[in-house]
């Protein structure tokens, strides 16, 4: 099956004949081919989006919201089908894909509130006889470029807000798992989204470059690795666009001696090994402070060794495959390098065997200790089920280790002390902070995005930031009578 682009309300083959395989990562079997669209395909989608903009912008906000209400209902009806398709093309276990679809739906729900979310501000009599009001207006064609690890939820962090505010969109999903979002686009069409409001163009680097350079795209939302996030931010802003580009991570989980160790273990284990470590919010460095180190170490080693790796559609599976053979080899290369650098490999997940699925892309739970500053296993984003367990003498030392990282996506503290949690929030310097939570994921109503090398831009995804990112404010300053003694004016009390 060849994946098609969606342009101006029609499913079309890309002009390029170059394609890549989409595979089921649990078996390695090819399930589709995705085109590597070029500049001509992007231009066709931009022209369709541009043509649709005037009438979509003129569609009342309440009517735009009603399309999203219908989409929300359709997503609910099709939730199980979407979750199964997602497990087949991504590999994560079915409970996780159900959760991902739900998180995506929550963004559609939030965007349904657009008539209230888009309200401007007014001040009467800001000066003598003068009123001031601000209006939020859509800007035109936005483009959204997304990664492979949440192919349902991450596009839904963006496009529902972009279209709810009256813009039109060109979406470029990950080329590694584009199939489930195709179903969502078909549901959006069924919900009544007019042709040209949402367009989809599949491809890779060349497609993204054409987006960054296209003069009729006003802004770009991007999620992916930090290396590419920085390239896209630089190239899109140099071309005069708005940009918000979310990058990679190396997240710290700091455990204090007074933590509830059962809660902490559950949170840390699911943070590190959930989605096979392929989450931008995945914990990858556990720091046990003082006595906490031995306690969390022992529990985490037990939990990691007992995880069952296999097909995500099997209800007994705890952890699915990684996305591809290339990515499995990359994760294994990080593990090899950690060993070569002298870190202690306490649990080795290289090449686990999964009976009957020998063609799948497997990496088992992996734990390192004695990781010193400068080792790549402790500093680089591995994006697999690999953790390091470090020891700190006190919380200041633990925070200093975290601050040494160039990333700053998320971090968590585990403690029963409100004061320690409050101090941590003050000191962390990282945007997404968990307190006794291992995956510090803000829900749709709050901004999602990191700091330092994990984020380029200022306005984050979702929350109120999404409304600001996709609109421009017009401020209207009005004076209706220059003469205070005008006989037509009502006398002021
Ligand atoms: P990636 O950077 O390889 O790809 C992301 C997107 O960019 C894809 O659509 C891809 O086609 C495109 N792309 C890839 N290389 C490119 C290049 N050289 N030039 C232009 N475009 C290019 O990321 P991925 O492997 O799909 O996703 C995993 C990464 O995403 C991890 O680093 C993860 O931390 C990050 N991520 C971050 C967040 C966040 O909220 N900060 C959320 C999810 C994932």
């Amino acid at each position: 099956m060849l994946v098609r682009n969606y342009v101006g309300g029609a499913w079309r083959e890309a002009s390029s004949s170059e394609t890549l395989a989409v595979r089921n990562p649990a078996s390695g079997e090819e399930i589709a081919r995705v085109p590597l669209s070029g500049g001509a395909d992007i231009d066709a989608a931009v022209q369709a989006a541009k043509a649709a903009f005037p009438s979509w912008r003129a569609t009342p906000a309440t009517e735009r919201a009603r399309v999203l209400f219908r989409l929300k209902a359709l997503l609910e009806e099709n939730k199980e089908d979407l979750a199964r398709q997602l497990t087949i093309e991504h590999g994560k276990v079915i409970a996780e894909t159900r959760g991902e679809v739900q998180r995506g739906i929550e963004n559609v729900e939030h965007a349904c509130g657009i008539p209230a979310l888009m309200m401007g501000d007014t001040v009467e009599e800001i000066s003598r006889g003068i009123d001031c009001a601000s209006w939020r207006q859509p800007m035109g064609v936005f483009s959204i470029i997304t990664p492979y690890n949440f192919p349902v939820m991450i596009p839904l962090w963006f496009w529902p807000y972009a279209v709810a505010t009256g813009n039109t969109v060109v979406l470029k999903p990950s080329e590694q798992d584009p199939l489930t979002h195709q179903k969502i686009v078909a549901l959006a069409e069924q919900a009544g989204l007019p042709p040209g409001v949402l367009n989809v163009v599949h491809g890779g680097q060349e497609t993204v470059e054409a987006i960054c350079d296209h003069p009729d795209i006003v802004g770009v939302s991007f999620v992916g690795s930090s290396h590419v996030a920085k390239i896209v931010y630089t190239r899109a802003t140099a071309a005069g666009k708005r940009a918000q580009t979310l990058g990679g991570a190396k997240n710290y989980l700091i455990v204090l001696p007074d933590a509830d160790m059962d809660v902490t273990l559950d949170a840390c284990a699911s943070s590190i090994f959930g989605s096979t470590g392929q989450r931008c919010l995945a914990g990858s460095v556990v720091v046990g402070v003082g006595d906490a180190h031995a306690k969390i170490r022992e529990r985490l080693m037990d939990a990691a060794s007992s995880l069952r790796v296999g097909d995500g559609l099997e209800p007994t599976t705890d952890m699915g495959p990684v996305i591809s053979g290339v990515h499995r080899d990359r994760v294994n290369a990080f593990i090899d390098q950690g060993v070569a650098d002298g870190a202690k490999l306490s649990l080795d997940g290289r090449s686990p065997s999964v009976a009957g699925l020998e063609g799948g892309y497997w990496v088992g739970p992996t734990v390192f200790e004695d990781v010193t500053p400068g080792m790549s296993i402790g500093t680089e984003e591995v994006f697999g089920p690999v953790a390091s367990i470090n020891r700190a003498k006190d919380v200041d030392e633990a925070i200093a280790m975290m601050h040494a990282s160039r990333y700053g996506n998320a971090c968590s503290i585990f403690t029963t002390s409100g004061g320690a949690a409050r101090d941590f929030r003050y000191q962390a310097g990282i945007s997404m902070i968990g307190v006794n939570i291992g995956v510090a994921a803000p829900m749709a109503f709050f901004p999602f995005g990191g700091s330092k090398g994990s984020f380029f831009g200022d306005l984050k995804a979702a929350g109120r930031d999404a409304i600001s990112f996709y609109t421009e404010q017009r401020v209207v300053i009005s004076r209706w009578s220059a003469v205070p003694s005008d006989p037509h004016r009502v006398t002021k009390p």
Side-chain angles (χ1 to χ4, degrees), residues 146-149 154 172 175 222-225 247-248 280 381 383 448:
T146 52
Y148 81 81
N149 67 327
I154 293 183
K172 206 299 284 174
E175 64 278 33
F222 169 93
V223 183
S225 55
C280 70
E381 180 183 44
F383 222 53
F448 194 115

Side-chain angles (χ1 to χ4, degrees), residues 254 256 289 392-403 427:
I254 296 179
L256 301 194
V289 173
K393 66 177 182 312
D394 56 29
V395 69
D396 289 343
E397 190 182 25
I399 291 175
M401 287 176 184
M402 181 174 90
H403 283 168
Q427 301 286 349

Side-chain angles (χ1 to χ4, degrees), residues 71-80 102 105 109:
L71 173 62
K72 173 199 151 43
L74 288 167
L75 289 169
E76 300 273 9
E77 272 171 41
N78 290 276
K79 200 168 163 181
E80 191 60 20
Q102 178 56 32
I105 291 172
E109 281 173 356

